[in-house]
Amino acid sequence: MGLSAQRSFLLILTLSSLFVDVSVSRSFPPAVGLAIARQIPLWLRSIRSSKWISRIWNKLKSFITFKELKLGDREEVLSYLKEYLNIFGYLNSTSQSNFSDYFTLDFQSAIITYQKNFNLNVTGNFDRNTSNMISQPRCGVPDIINDTTTMNSGVSNTTTFKPWWKEGKKELIYAADPENNVTNGVRLLFRDVFDRWSKVTSLKFTETTSFNGSDVRIAFVAFDGRGGTVGGAATDYSLGVESVYLDSEEEWVVRGESDEGDVDLEFVMMHVVGHVLVLGHSSVEEAVMYPVVLKEKKTELVFNDLQRIHQIYDVTSK
Ligand SMILES: *[C@@H]1O[C@H](CO)[C@@H](O)[C@H](O)[C@H]1NC(C)=O
Ligand SMILES: *[C@@H]1O[C@H](CO)[C@@H](O)[C@H](O)[C@H]1NC(C)=O
Ligand SMILES: *[C@@H]1O[C@H](CO)[C@@H](O)[C@H](O)[C@H]1NC(C)=O
Ligand SMILES: *[C@@H]1O[C@H](CO)[C@@H](O)[C@H](O)[C@H]1NC(C)=O
Ligand SMILES: *[C@@H]1O[C@H](CO)[C@@H](O)[C@H](O)[C@H]1NC(C)=O
Ligand SMILES: *[C@@H]1O[C@H](CO)[C@@H](O)[C@H](O)[C@H]1NC(C)=O
Ligand SMILES: *[C@@H]1O[C@H](CO)[C@@H](O)[C@H](O)[C@H]1NC(C)=O
Ligand SMILES: *[C@@H]1O[C@H](CO)[C@@H](O)[C@H](O)[C@H]1NC(C)=O
Ligand SMILES: [Zn+2]
């Protein structure tokens, strides 16, 4: 596949900050992020309300005195858990509020689906391992979209390939939001990621400086604070534009060693570009398309990712 060769770039990039080539600090402190990164711009309004999500995270974080919850229980935290599961596609509610404090049957079935998707023991209860998984940083794209999941609990295990770009287009152009002033190191990282995916699809990605004219728009935006959602992708079918957002409030690491709580930019970009290529989430922990940010950084496509991308793209011509 030539994938590993692709990675063995002997470029040692110790670029410190994402936006301006300054100091030697490896990561990108949240305080700087708030100063430089923009608020969620209009073109990104199709994504779920970030204010709403951060409210949920804060509530879940404050649920320190963990207590296993089961059918019939009543706890305030349950309404927030429902909001969480609703945002990621596990409940059917269109309203973003007014969830009750009760452990209801539909909540139980959502928990069961979640446990299946994340390879947890299916207890149907809000148990410690389920709680630990929910509190991990993750991708903002729902696991279940239109009642279809590509994860373990899959209603349908066939990928429905629905391109957002104009039919027949073989070359897509991408651009980083000029307001972010990303460094060359970051732009190089973006290019490597697109190249790596391009090798296994029939599409070519080219960088442009014209943000408004690009097919894939990448922006760091102040999203929901540290942790929580680290980034995601949103599709605008009518414009034929895919927006990639990265939470500027994370401690991003650009090709370096990460400490506890840091988020590796290369890994998150690999993942979100998978969404750009219309892949959904995977239950395989080693896969790039697994939605939760685990400790090890994953920048190589594994068998599961390749198997799924091959279902939708014919690469034999490459
Ligand atoms: C959502 O509603 C549809 C139709 O009523 C149903 O088939 C589906 O199972 C529901 N999904 C969830 C996650 O509850
Ligand atoms: C939530 O419930 C209250 C009281 O039942 C109602 O007045 C309010 O309109 C509801 N809000 C939403 C968004 O459904
Ligand atoms: C599931 O439960 C069994 C028995 O308690 C345990 O050995 C196993 O590690 C659990 N698996 C997970 C993924 O939590
Ligand atoms: C929770 O996870 C740990 C580690 O995977 C496992 O050993 C344990 O059995 C799990 N507990 C339950 C109740 O599934
Ligand atoms: C989900 O369903 C809605 C309504 O049927 C449709 O407009 C939308 O394009 C679908 N989304 C995807 C990703 O298939
Ligand atoms: C879909 O599920 C069926 C039945 O479980 C299985 O035989 C088939 O190999 C699966 N297809 C894919 C592409 O995973
Ligand atoms: C981005 O860079 C340009 C040119 O170097 C500079 O004028 C501008 O102030 C920078 N913007 C931000 C938000 O740092
Ligand atoms: C890009 O679009 C935005 C909003 O649609 C507009 O404010 C801005 O001037 C445009 N920039 C260019 C270079 O056309
Ligand atoms: Zn994702």
PDB file of all heavy atoms in Angstrom, residues 218-252:
ATOM      1  N   ILE A 218     -10.848  24.185   6.572  1.00  0.00           N
ATOM      2  CA  ILE A 218     -10.357  23.742   7.883  1.00  0.00           C
ATOM      3  C   ILE A 218     -10.154  24.942   8.789  1.00  0.00           C
ATOM      4  O   ILE A 218      -9.466  25.889   8.414  1.00  0.00           O
ATOM      5  CB  ILE A 218      -9.009  23.002   7.728  1.00  0.00           C
ATOM      6  CG1 ILE A 218      -9.119  21.931   6.633  1.00  0.00           C
ATOM      7  CG2 ILE A 218      -8.569  22.387   9.048  1.00  0.00           C
ATOM      8  CD1 ILE A 218      -7.779  21.421   6.152  1.00  0.00           C
ATOM      9  N   ALA A 219     -10.739  24.903   9.954  1.00  0.00           N
ATOM     10  CA  ALA A 219     -10.584  26.037  10.858  1.00  0.00           C
ATOM     11  C   ALA A 219     -10.448  25.594  12.304  1.00  0.00           C
ATOM     12  O   ALA A 219     -11.088  24.643  12.744  1.00  0.00           O
ATOM     13  CB  ALA A 219     -11.783  26.974  10.737  1.00  0.00           C
ATOM     14  N   PHE A 220      -9.579  26.284  13.014  1.00  0.00           N
ATOM     15  CA  PHE A 220      -9.529  26.140  14.465  1.00  0.00           C
ATOM     16  C   PHE A 220     -10.548  27.117  15.025  1.00  0.00           C
ATOM     17  O   PHE A 220     -10.493  28.309  14.737  1.00  0.00           O
ATOM     18  CB  PHE A 220      -8.141  26.511  14.993  1.00  0.00           C
ATOM     19  CG  PHE A 220      -7.106  25.449  14.730  1.00  0.00           C
ATOM     20  CD1 PHE A 220      -6.357  25.461  13.560  1.00  0.00           C
ATOM     21  CD2 PHE A 220      -6.889  24.436  15.651  1.00  0.00           C
ATOM     22  CE1 PHE A 220      -5.410  24.468  13.306  1.00  0.00           C
ATOM     23  CE2 PHE A 220      -5.942  23.442  15.413  1.00  0.00           C
ATOM     24  CZ  PHE A 220      -5.203  23.464  14.235  1.00  0.00           C
ATOM     25  N   VAL A 221     -11.472  26.602  15.807  1.00  0.00           N
ATOM     26  CA  VAL A 221     -12.453  27.484  16.430  1.00  0.00           C
ATOM     27  C   VAL A 221     -12.554  27.138  17.902  1.00  0.00           C
ATOM     28  O   VAL A 221     -12.345  25.986  18.296  1.00  0.00           O
ATOM     29  CB  VAL A 221     -13.851  27.358  15.768  1.00  0.00           C
ATOM     30  CG1 VAL A 221     -13.830  27.848  14.330  1.00  0.00           C
ATOM     31  CG2 VAL A 221     -14.371  25.940  15.823  1.00  0.00           C
ATOM     32  N   ALA A 222     -12.846  28.141  18.705  1.00  0.00           N
ATOM     33  CA  ALA A 222     -13.020  27.902  20.137  1.00  0.00           C
ATOM     34  C   ALA A 222     -14.322  27.135  20.292  1.00  0.00           C
ATOM     35  O   ALA A 222     -15.391  27.674  20.045  1.00  0.00           O
ATOM     36  CB  ALA A 222     -13.074  29.231  20.865  1.00  0.00           C
ATOM     37  N   PHE A 223     -14.217  25.863  20.633  1.00  0.00           N
ATOM     38  CA  PHE A 223     -15.403  25.034  20.604  1.00  0.00           C
ATOM     39  C   PHE A 223     -15.995  24.771  21.981  1.00  0.00           C
ATOM     40  O   PHE A 223     -16.931  25.454  22.393  1.00  0.00           O
ATOM     41  CB  PHE A 223     -15.114  23.743  19.847  1.00  0.00           C
ATOM     42  CG  PHE A 223     -16.363  23.031  19.397  1.00  0.00           C
ATOM     43  CD1 PHE A 223     -17.158  23.572  18.409  1.00  0.00           C
ATOM     44  CD2 PHE A 223     -16.753  21.849  19.999  1.00  0.00           C
ATOM     45  CE1 PHE A 223     -18.332  22.946  18.016  1.00  0.00           C
ATOM     46  CE2 PHE A 223     -17.915  21.203  19.607  1.00  0.00           C
ATOM     47  CZ  PHE A 223     -18.704  21.757  18.621  1.00  0.00           C
ATOM     48  N   ASP A 224     -15.460  23.792  22.693  1.00  0.00           N
ATOM     49  CA  ASP A 224     -16.101  23.486  23.987  1.00  0.00           C
ATOM     50  C   ASP A 224     -15.101  23.299  25.116  1.00  0.00           C
ATOM     51  O   ASP A 224     -15.284  22.456  25.985  1.00  0.00           O
ATOM     52  CB  ASP A 224     -17.030  22.273  23.851  1.00  0.00           C
ATOM     53  CG  ASP A 224     -16.293  21.008  23.418  1.00  0.00           C
ATOM     54  OD1 ASP A 224     -15.066  21.088  23.206  1.00  0.00           O
ATOM     55  OD2 ASP A 224     -16.926  19.959  23.303  1.00  0.00           O
ATOM     56  N   GLY A 225     -14.038  24.091  25.085  1.00  0.00           N
ATOM     57  CA  GLY A 225     -13.070  24.004  26.170  1.00  0.00           C
ATOM     58  C   GLY A 225     -12.183  22.783  26.008  1.00  0.00           C
ATOM     59  O   GLY A 225     -12.295  22.041  25.036  1.00  0.00           O
ATOM     60  N   ARG A 226     -11.285  22.604  26.993  1.00  0.00           N
ATOM     61  CA  ARG A 226     -10.353  21.478  26.904  1.00  0.00           C
ATOM     62  C   ARG A 226     -11.083  20.169  27.117  1.00  0.00           C
ATOM     63  O   ARG A 226     -11.977  20.091  27.941  1.00  0.00           O
ATOM     64  CB  ARG A 226      -9.271  21.664  27.962  1.00  0.00           C
ATOM     65  CG  ARG A 226      -7.969  21.118  27.497  1.00  0.00           C
ATOM     66  CD  ARG A 226      -6.869  21.418  28.444  1.00  0.00           C
ATOM     67  NE  ARG A 226      -5.874  20.366  28.246  1.00  0.00           N
ATOM     68  CZ  ARG A 226      -4.852  20.191  29.041  1.00  0.00           C
ATOM     69  NH1 ARG A 226      -4.686  20.948  30.100  1.00  0.00           N
ATOM     70  NH2 ARG A 226      -3.992  19.219  28.782  1.00  0.00           N
ATOM     71  N   GLY A 227     -10.700  19.142  26.349  1.00  0.00           N
ATOM     72  CA  GLY A 227     -11.393  17.858  26.437  1.00  0.00           C
ATOM     73  C   GLY A 227     -12.720  17.955  25.706  1.00  0.00           C
ATOM     74  O   GLY A 227     -12.897  18.817  24.857  1.00  0.00           O
ATOM     75  N   GLY A 228     -13.633  17.085  26.030  1.00  0.00           N
ATOM     76  CA  GLY A 228     -14.924  17.111  25.348  1.00  0.00           C
ATOM     77  C   GLY A 228     -14.761  16.754  23.882  1.00  0.00           C
ATOM     78  O   GLY A 228     -14.196  15.735  23.540  1.00  0.00           O
ATOM     79  N   THR A 229     -15.202  17.661  23.033  1.00  0.00           N
ATOM     80  CA  THR A 229     -15.106  17.432  21.600  1.00  0.00           C
ATOM     81  C   THR A 229     -13.817  18.067  21.086  1.00  0.00           C
ATOM     82  O   THR A 229     -13.573  19.243  21.329  1.00  0.00           O
ATOM     83  CB  THR A 229     -16.310  18.089  20.903  1.00  0.00           C
ATOM     84  OG1 THR A 229     -17.484  17.685  21.603  1.00  0.00           O
ATOM     85  CG2 THR A 229     -16.418  17.666  19.471  1.00  0.00           C
ATOM     86  N   VAL A 230     -12.994  17.300  20.379  1.00  0.00           N
ATOM     87  CA  VAL A 230     -11.724  17.852  19.900  1.00  0.00           C
ATOM     88  C   VAL A 230     -11.810  18.390  18.474  1.00  0.00           C
ATOM     89  O   VAL A 230     -10.952  19.147  18.038  1.00  0.00           O
ATOM     90  CB  VAL A 230     -10.570  16.831  20.012  1.00  0.00           C
ATOM     91  CG1 VAL A 230     -10.363  16.408  21.463  1.00  0.00           C
ATOM     92  CG2 VAL A 230     -10.813  15.615  19.126  1.00  0.00           C
ATOM     93  N   GLY A 231     -12.826  17.964  17.754  1.00  0.00           N
ATOM     94  CA  GLY A 231     -12.969  18.424  16.378  1.00  0.00           C
ATOM     95  C   GLY A 231     -14.033  17.607  15.688  1.00  0.00           C
ATOM     96  O   GLY A 231     -14.674  16.757  16.310  1.00  0.00           O
ATOM     97  N   GLY A 232     -14.209  17.883  14.423  1.00  0.00           N
ATOM     98  CA  GLY A 232     -15.216  17.123  13.693  1.00  0.00           C
ATOM     99  C   GLY A 232     -15.335  17.653  12.284  1.00  0.00           C
ATOM    100  O   GLY A 232     -14.501  18.440  11.822  1.00  0.00           O
ATOM    101  N   ALA A 233     -16.361  17.210  11.615  1.00  0.00           N
ATOM    102  CA  ALA A 233     -16.581  17.645  10.237  1.00  0.00           C
ATOM    103  C   ALA A 233     -18.070  17.794  10.026  1.00  0.00           C
ATOM    104  O   ALA A 233     -18.868  17.078  10.632  1.00  0.00           O
ATOM    105  CB  ALA A 233     -16.005  16.627   9.260  1.00  0.00           C
ATOM    106  N   ALA A 234     -18.433  18.754   9.209  1.00  0.00           N
ATOM    107  CA  ALA A 234     -19.842  18.980   8.919  1.00  0.00           C
ATOM    108  C   ALA A 234     -20.012  19.186   7.422  1.00  0.00           C
ATOM    109  O   ALA A 234     -19.195  19.832   6.777  1.00  0.00           O
ATOM    110  CB  ALA A 234     -20.343  20.203   9.679  1.00  0.00           C
ATOM    111  N   THR A 235     -21.066  18.599   6.903  1.00  0.00           N
ATOM    112  CA  THR A 235     -21.287  18.646   5.464  1.00  0.00           C
ATOM    113  C   THR A 235     -22.394  19.615   5.096  1.00  0.00           C
ATOM    114  O   THR A 235     -23.440  19.637   5.738  1.00  0.00           O
ATOM    115  CB  THR A 235     -21.709  17.244   4.964  1.00  0.00           C
ATOM    116  OG1 THR A 235     -20.722  16.310   5.378  1.00  0.00           O
ATOM    117  CG2 THR A 235     -21.821  17.215   3.453  1.00  0.00           C
ATOM    118  N   ASP A 236     -22.143  20.407   4.074  1.00  0.00           N
ATOM    119  CA  ASP A 236     -23.197  21.224   3.511  1.00  0.00           C
ATOM    120  C   ASP A 236     -23.438  20.710   2.091  1.00  0.00           C
ATOM    121  O   ASP A 236     -22.690  21.029   1.168  1.00  0.00           O
ATOM    122  CB  ASP A 236     -22.779  22.701   3.497  1.00  0.00           C
ATOM    123  CG  ASP A 236     -23.924  23.616   3.062  1.00  0.00           C
ATOM    124  OD1 ASP A 236     -24.711  23.190   2.181  1.00  0.00           O
ATOM    125  OD2 ASP A 236     -24.026  24.732   3.580  1.00  0.00           O
ATOM    126  N   TYR A 237     -24.452  19.849   1.971  1.00  0.00           N
ATOM    127  CA  TYR A 237     -24.708  19.218   0.673  1.00  0.00           C
ATOM    128  C   TYR A 237     -25.097  20.232  -0.387  1.00  0.00           C
ATOM    129  O   TYR A 237     -24.755  20.083  -1.555  1.00  0.00           O
ATOM    130  CB  TYR A 237     -25.806  18.158   0.799  1.00  0.00           C
ATOM    131  CG  TYR A 237     -25.361  16.912   1.523  1.00  0.00           C
ATOM    132  CD1 TYR A 237     -25.721  16.687   2.840  1.00  0.00           C
ATOM    133  CD2 TYR A 237     -24.573  15.954   0.877  1.00  0.00           C
ATOM    134  CE1 TYR A 237     -25.304  15.543   3.511  1.00  0.00           C
ATOM    135  CE2 TYR A 237     -24.153  14.806   1.535  1.00  0.00           C
ATOM    136  CZ  TYR A 237     -24.524  14.601   2.847  1.00  0.00           C
ATOM    137  OH  TYR A 237     -24.109  13.486   3.502  1.00  0.00           O
ATOM    138  N   SER A 238     -25.824  21.284   0.019  1.00  0.00           N
ATOM    139  CA  SER A 238     -26.291  22.221  -0.993  1.00  0.00           C
ATOM    140  C   SER A 238     -25.128  23.025  -1.585  1.00  0.00           C
ATOM    141  O   SER A 238     -25.128  23.304  -2.778  1.00  0.00           O
ATOM    142  CB  SER A 238     -27.367  23.135  -0.422  1.00  0.00           C
ATOM    143  OG  SER A 238     -26.853  23.876   0.653  1.00  0.00           O
ATOM    144  N   LEU A 239     -24.160  23.375  -0.743  1.00  0.00           N
ATOM    145  CA  LEU A 239     -23.014  24.117  -1.265  1.00  0.00           C
ATOM    146  C   LEU A 239     -21.936  23.189  -1.820  1.00  0.00           C
ATOM    147  O   LEU A 239     -21.048  23.613  -2.547  1.00  0.00           O
ATOM    148  CB  LEU A 239     -22.396  24.984  -0.166  1.00  0.00           C
ATOM    149  CG  LEU A 239     -23.171  26.211   0.304  1.00  0.00           C
ATOM    150  CD1 LEU A 239     -22.387  26.932   1.386  1.00  0.00           C
ATOM    151  CD2 LEU A 239     -23.451  27.150  -0.860  1.00  0.00           C
ATOM    152  N   GLY A 240     -22.023  21.917  -1.421  1.00  0.00           N
ATOM    153  CA  GLY A 240     -20.969  20.981  -1.809  1.00  0.00           C
ATOM    154  C   GLY A 240     -19.668  21.318  -1.109  1.00  0.00           C
ATOM    155  O   GLY A 240     -18.600  21.333  -1.702  1.00  0.00           O
ATOM    156  N   VAL A 241     -19.808  21.625   0.183  1.00  0.00           N
ATOM    157  CA  VAL A 241     -18.642  22.027   0.962  1.00  0.00           C
ATOM    158  C   VAL A 241     -18.584  21.203   2.248  1.00  0.00           C
ATOM    159  O   VAL A 241     -19.605  20.942   2.871  1.00  0.00           O
ATOM    160  CB  VAL A 241     -18.710  23.536   1.321  1.00  0.00           C
ATOM    161  CG1 VAL A 241     -17.701  23.894   2.394  1.00  0.00           C
ATOM    162  CG2 VAL A 241     -18.494  24.392   0.085  1.00  0.00           C
ATOM    163  N   GLU A 242     -17.386  20.770   2.588  1.00  0.00           N
ATOM    164  CA  GLU A 242     -17.185  20.053   3.834  1.00  0.00           C
ATOM    165  C   GLU A 242     -16.347  20.958   4.746  1.00  0.00           C
ATOM    166  O   GLU A 242     -15.318  21.480   4.344  1.00  0.00           O
ATOM    167  CB  GLU A 242     -16.451  18.738   3.563  1.00  0.00           C
ATOM    168  CG  GLU A 242     -16.250  17.860   4.766  1.00  0.00           C
ATOM    169  CD  GLU A 242     -17.491  17.054   5.176  1.00  0.00           C
ATOM    170  OE1 GLU A 242     -18.534  17.099   4.472  1.00  0.00           O
ATOM    171  OE2 GLU A 242     -17.406  16.377   6.222  1.00  0.00           O
ATOM    172  N   SER A 243     -16.814  21.136   5.984  1.00  0.00           N
ATOM    173  CA  SER A 243     -16.084  21.962   6.936  1.00  0.00           C
ATOM    174  C   SER A 243     -15.462  21.096   8.011  1.00  0.00           C
ATOM    175  O   SER A 243     -16.125  20.269   8.607  1.00  0.00           O
ATOM    176  CB  SER A 243     -17.035  22.944   7.614  1.00  0.00           C
ATOM    177  OG  SER A 243     -17.681  23.724   6.647  1.00  0.00           O
ATOM    178  N   VAL A 244     -14.198  21.307   8.221  1.00  0.00           N
ATOM    179  CA  VAL A 244     -13.499  20.590   9.277  1.00  0.00           C
ATOM    180  C   VAL A 244     -13.214  21.599  10.380  1.00  0.00           C
ATOM    181  O   VAL A 244     -12.695  22.678  10.114  1.00  0.00           O
ATOM    182  CB  VAL A 244     -12.165  20.007   8.738  1.00  0.00           C
ATOM    183  CG1 VAL A 244     -11.247  19.599   9.870  1.00  0.00           C
ATOM    184  CG2 VAL A 244     -12.442  18.831   7.801  1.00  0.00           C
ATOM    185  N   TYR A 245     -13.616  21.276  11.588  1.00  0.00           N
ATOM    186  CA  TYR A 245     -13.310  22.182  12.686  1.00  0.00           C
ATOM    187  C   TYR A 245     -12.469  21.467  13.721  1.00  0.00           C
ATOM    188  O   TYR A 245     -12.623  20.276  13.961  1.00  0.00           O
ATOM    189  CB  TYR A 245     -14.584  22.763  13.308  1.00  0.00           C
ATOM    190  CG  TYR A 245     -15.562  21.733  13.841  1.00  0.00           C
ATOM    191  CD1 TYR A 245     -15.578  21.384  15.195  1.00  0.00           C
ATOM    192  CD2 TYR A 245     -16.473  21.111  12.990  1.00  0.00           C
ATOM    193  CE1 TYR A 245     -16.472  20.438  15.682  1.00  0.00           C
ATOM    194  CE2 TYR A 245     -17.362  20.163  13.463  1.00  0.00           C
ATOM    195  CZ  TYR A 245     -17.364  19.836  14.808  1.00  0.00           C
ATOM    196  OH  TYR A 245     -18.236  18.896  15.278  1.00  0.00           O
ATOM    197  N   LEU A 246     -11.544  22.230  14.292  1.00  0.00           N
ATOM    198  CA  LEU A 246     -10.649  21.697  15.304  1.00  0.00           C
ATOM    199  C   LEU A 246     -10.781  22.629  16.502  1.00  0.00           C
ATOM    200  O   LEU A 246     -10.790  23.848  16.332  1.00  0.00           O
ATOM    201  CB  LEU A 246      -9.214  21.683  14.769  1.00  0.00           C
ATOM    202  CG  LEU A 246      -9.026  20.822  13.500  1.00  0.00           C
ATOM    203  CD1 LEU A 246      -7.792  21.243  12.719  1.00  0.00           C
ATOM    204  CD2 LEU A 246      -8.954  19.340  13.873  1.00  0.00           C
ATOM    205  N   ASP A 247     -10.900  22.058  17.667  1.00  0.00           N
ATOM    206  CA  ASP A 247     -11.132  22.889  18.846  1.00  0.00           C
ATOM    207  C   ASP A 247      -9.842  23.582  19.275  1.00  0.00           C
ATOM    208  O   ASP A 247      -8.909  22.948  19.762  1.00  0.00           O
ATOM    209  CB  ASP A 247     -11.674  22.016  19.982  1.00  0.00           C
ATOM    210  CG  ASP A 247     -12.130  22.846  21.181  1.00  0.00           C
ATOM    211  OD1 ASP A 247     -11.879  24.078  21.185  1.00  0.00           O
ATOM    212  OD2 ASP A 247     -12.735  22.273  22.098  1.00  0.00           O
ATOM    213  N   SER A 248      -9.810  24.894  19.107  1.00  0.00           N
ATOM    214  CA  SER A 248      -8.593  25.649  19.424  1.00  0.00           C
ATOM    215  C   SER A 248      -8.282  25.631  20.906  1.00  0.00           C
ATOM    216  O   SER A 248      -7.198  26.025  21.322  1.00  0.00           O
ATOM    217  CB  SER A 248      -8.753  27.092  18.948  1.00  0.00           C
ATOM    218  OG  SER A 248      -9.865  27.677  19.594  1.00  0.00           O
ATOM    219  N   GLU A 249      -9.212  25.178  21.713  1.00  0.00           N
ATOM    220  CA  GLU A 249      -8.974  25.178  23.154  1.00  0.00           C
ATOM    221  C   GLU A 249      -8.286  23.911  23.662  1.00  0.00           C
ATOM    222  O   GLU A 249      -8.018  23.767  24.838  1.00  0.00           O
ATOM    223  CB  GLU A 249     -10.300  25.428  23.886  1.00  0.00           C
ATOM    224  CG  GLU A 249     -10.838  26.810  23.541  1.00  0.00           C
ATOM    225  CD  GLU A 249     -12.218  27.101  24.113  1.00  0.00           C
ATOM    226  OE1 GLU A 249     -13.112  26.241  24.013  1.00  0.00           O
ATOM    227  OE2 GLU A 249     -12.383  28.195  24.656  1.00  0.00           O
ATOM    228  N   GLU A 250      -7.988  22.987  22.746  1.00  0.00           N
ATOM    229  CA  GLU A 250      -7.225  21.801  23.151  1.00  0.00           C
ATOM    230  C   GLU A 250      -5.742  22.148  23.210  1.00  0.00           C
ATOM    231  O   GLU A 250      -5.292  23.108  22.589  1.00  0.00           O
ATOM    232  CB  GLU A 250      -7.411  20.658  22.137  1.00  0.00           C
ATOM    233  CG  GLU A 250      -8.835  20.222  21.904  1.00  0.00           C
ATOM    234  CD  GLU A 250      -9.527  19.702  23.154  1.00  0.00           C
ATOM    235  OE1 GLU A 250      -8.830  19.259  24.096  1.00  0.00           O
ATOM    236  OE2 GLU A 250     -10.766  19.766  23.204  1.00  0.00           O
ATOM    237  N   GLU A 251      -4.989  21.310  23.915  1.00  0.00           N
ATOM    238  CA  GLU A 251      -3.528  21.428  23.903  1.00  0.00           C
ATOM    239  C   GLU A 251      -3.039  20.600  22.731  1.00  0.00           C
ATOM    240  O   GLU A 251      -2.788  19.401  22.837  1.00  0.00           O
ATOM    241  CB  GLU A 251      -2.936  20.845  25.197  1.00  0.00           C
ATOM    242  CG  GLU A 251      -3.291  21.602  26.441  1.00  0.00           C
ATOM    243  CD  GLU A 251      -2.219  22.617  26.833  1.00  0.00           C
ATOM    244  OE1 GLU A 251      -1.212  22.741  26.109  1.00  0.00           O
ATOM    245  OE2 GLU A 251      -2.407  23.271  27.861  1.00  0.00           O
ATOM    246  N   TRP A 252      -2.929  21.246  21.589  1.00  0.00           N
ATOM    247  CA  TRP A 252      -2.563  20.512  20.376  1.00  0.00           C
ATOM    248  C   TRP A 252      -1.075  20.245  20.320  1.00  0.00           C
ATOM    249  O   TRP A 252      -0.264  21.109  20.645  1.00  0.00           O
ATOM    250  CB  TRP A 252      -2.965  21.305  19.141  1.00  0.00           C
ATOM    251  CG  TRP A 252      -4.438  21.377  18.937  1.00  0.00           C
ATOM    252  CD1 TRP A 252      -5.251  22.452  19.197  1.00  0.00           C
ATOM    253  CD2 TRP A 252      -5.299  20.330  18.451  1.00  0.00           C
ATOM    254  NE1 TRP A 252      -6.552  22.128  18.896  1.00  0.00           N
ATOM    255  CE2 TRP A 252      -6.612  20.842  18.437  1.00  0.00           C
ATOM    256  CE3 TRP A 252      -5.074  19.017  18.027  1.00  0.00           C
ATOM    257  CZ2 TRP A 252      -7.702  20.078  18.015  1.00  0.00           C
ATOM    258  CZ3 TRP A 252      -6.156  18.258  17.607  1.00  0.00           C
ATOM    259  CH2 TRP A 252      -7.460  18.793  17.599  1.00  0.00           C
TER     260      TRP A 252
END
